[in-house]
Amino acid sequence: MVETTKKRNRVFNYFCQDEQFAGGVAWCAGCPMELIARLTPKVLGKNMIFVGTPGCAAPVLHGQNIGAWHRMAYLASVMTGVPSKATGLSRYYNRIGQDATVVCFTGDGCATDVGFQPLSGAAERQEKFIYLAYDNEGYMNTGNQRSSATQIGAATTTTPVGKIGKGKSNAQKNMPMIMLMHKPTYMATATVSHLEDFIKKLQKAKEKSKEGFVYLHLFSPCPVGWRIDSSKVIEVCREAVRTNYFPLWEAENGKPRITVNVANPKPILEFTKLMRKYSHLKEDGLAELQKQVDERYALLKTLVNAGT
Ligand SMILES: Cc1ncc(C[n+]2csc(CCOP(=O)(O)OP(=O)(O)O)c2C)c(N)n1
Ligand code: SF4
Ligand SMILES: [Mg+2]
């Protein structure tokens, strides 16, 4: 109990300090990406530069007309070039000896599809910056189209549910695992229901980005596209962890470790019932989704146990 209170106070303290964003910004009510964006500079400190791409983060990170929504340095990039821009920036600051933490802040569509090649290249070269992908499992800013991060069975505007369509017919690309195979200096998955865990990972990310490439994969459900009540978004994140839909783990130099152990994972229905994205799934659809979740978790456990 005392430990839990201490943890809550540590998180609370972070939220009270040095707010870099305006009080009200143009993100939808309940969007966890806002929480991720607000918390990141509080932990990483002021010497950070956001490099962003078109997507839901952009309207606020870019600013509107001549007004800014935040006080940080920001560089806008095309979706295909964000790690290349970050490479130039971080190399330049290293060359002149100036302390700077360069953070790519992109959606899953950019990370897993449109901008994957330069991300893979930067990871392979061990460029010294942080790549943070907020994963809302689709192209949300353009109208909830499926991306390769969209999970099997999910209803989106390009995988609709009707007489013929039954949601996405193939499984989600296992992006954290793909990035693990690049052996980044540090990588982690995180979400906003477990802020203490996220904060520790951000602190480690900052330190490790001085040595090489860092990848952070943030589970960030979209209340609009997933059709979740705004007040239930944190619960959705928590249930994603408790069902192993989104396990929380980290890896240093390719060696994975689970950071939040779930002793008795709940069935996937406890997660899917909180949103309309999966509300059409019957027994067979849920079984297929459960199979995906179990297979992925088993793979992760095998790699953890092998000390890969
Ligand atoms: C090369 C390229 N392709 C397509 C687009 C159109 N586009 C703008 S925002 C966006 C959605 C990006 O999705 P994601 O990266 O997942 O971010 P989200 O909108 O979900 O926050 C797309 C496809 C673009 N700007 N550039
Ligand atoms: S559409 Fe979804 S991801 Fe985009 S800002 Fe709104 S809630 Fe967030
Ligand atoms: Mg997205």
Side-chain angles (χ1 to χ4, degrees):
M1 184 64 191
V2 177
E3 190 48 34
T4 316
T5 312
K6 269 195 207 155
K7 276 183 186 175
R8 277 202 198 119
N9 286 346
R10 272 206 294 272
V11 171
F12 182 71
N13 287 344
Y14 268 115
F15 272 103
C16 291
Q17 75 192 24
D18 287 337
E19 181 56 60
Q20 297 298 310
F21 286 85
V25 291
W27 283 318
C28 311
C31 180
M33 185 255 292
E34 175 170 351
L35 210 50
I36 298 165
R38 284 185 187 274
L39 184 60
T40 300
K42 287 171 191 262
V43 180
L44 297 183
K46 283 186 188 142
N47 286 346
M48 65 158 284
I49 299 157
F50 267 140
V51 189
T53 53
C56 279
V60 174
L61 293 182
H62 282 313
Q64 229 163 10
N65 302 324
I66 56 164
W69 291 103
H70 62 80
R71 289 190 282 241
M72 287 164 296
Y74 174 71
L75 179 66
S77 170
V78 289
M79 289 179 85
T80 45
V82 67
S84 317
K85 280 211 165 75
T87 295
L89 271 182
S90 61
R91 285 189 185 194
Y92 172 73
Y93 286 118
N94 269 327
R95 172 72 67 90
I96 64 168
Q98 190 170 319
D99 181 35
T101 307
V102 177
V103 183
C104 298
F105 197 86
T106 80
D108 53 284
C110 180
T112 66
D113 295 327
V114 183
F116 177 71
Q117 182 276 325
L119 164 58
S120 174
E124 182 268 328
R125 297 191 306 272
Q126 291 289 353
E127 297 293 345
K128 294 178 179 139
F129 63 83
I130 300 171
Y131 191 105
L132 187 158
Y134 63 89
D135 185 1
N136 50 31
E137 301 187 355
Y139 293 93
M140 292 307 164
N141 194 242
T142 40
N144 189 18
Q145 294 89 7
R146 61 85 97 188
S147 75
S148 58
T150 307
Q151 189 48 288
I152 194 162
T156 70
T157 50
T158 46
T159 57
V161 175
K163 275 191 185 147
I164 301 168
K166 303 234 173 319
K168 190 168 175 242
S169 57
N170 50 342
Q172 175 191 58
K173 190 187 271 185
N174 195 344
M175 188 64 176
M177 205 45 79
I178 291 168
M179 293 314 293
L180 177 68
M181 294 301 129
H182 287 73
K183 286 200 176 182
T185 301
Y186 180 67
M187 67 165 289
T189 64
T191 192
V192 294
S193 54
H194 292 68
L195 287 173
E196 178 78 8
D197 179 76
F198 179 29
I199 289 168
K200 278 194 207 148
K201 287 167 174 173
L202 276 175
Q203 287 167 332
K204 230 183 221 181
K206 180 175 178 175
E207 188 191 310
K208 293 286 177 185
S209 68
K210 308 298 169 207
E211 296 166 25
F213 189 77
V214 173
Y215 179 75
L216 299 178
H217 196 103
L218 269 293
F219 180 69
S220 183
C222 164
V224 176
W226 296 26
R227 287 157 294 157
I228 308 168
D229 187 302
S230 290
S231 66
K232 295 273 190 309
V233 171
I234 306 288
E235 199 181 328
V236 168
C237 296
R238 197 171 293 118
E239 291 305 308
V241 176
R242 286 182 177 162
T243 54
N244 280 341
Y245 183 90
F246 191 81
L248 296 177
W249 55 282
E250 66 180 2
E252 279 184 50
N253 303 314
K255 288 190 176 37
R257 183 180 85 83
I258 291 168
T259 58
V260 174
N261 273 301
V262 180
N264 296 304
K266 292 182 179 180
I268 198 62
L269 180 65
E270 297 302 313
F271 167 73
T272 54
K273 72 180 186 191
L274 297 169
M275 64 203 80
R276 280 176 43 215
K277 164 178 168 159
Y278 291 117
S279 58
H280 56 284
L281 291 186
K282 305 265 184 302
E283 221 170 281
D284 54 339
L286 284 169
E288 188 54 55
L289 184 56
Q290 185 73 60
K291 185 167 157 265
Q292 287 298 327
V293 169
D294 292 346
E295 276 177 14
R296 275 158 198 245
Y297 193 70
L299 174 62
L300 175 62
K301 277 295 261 190
T302 305
L303 295 176
V304 169
N305 292 338
T308 304

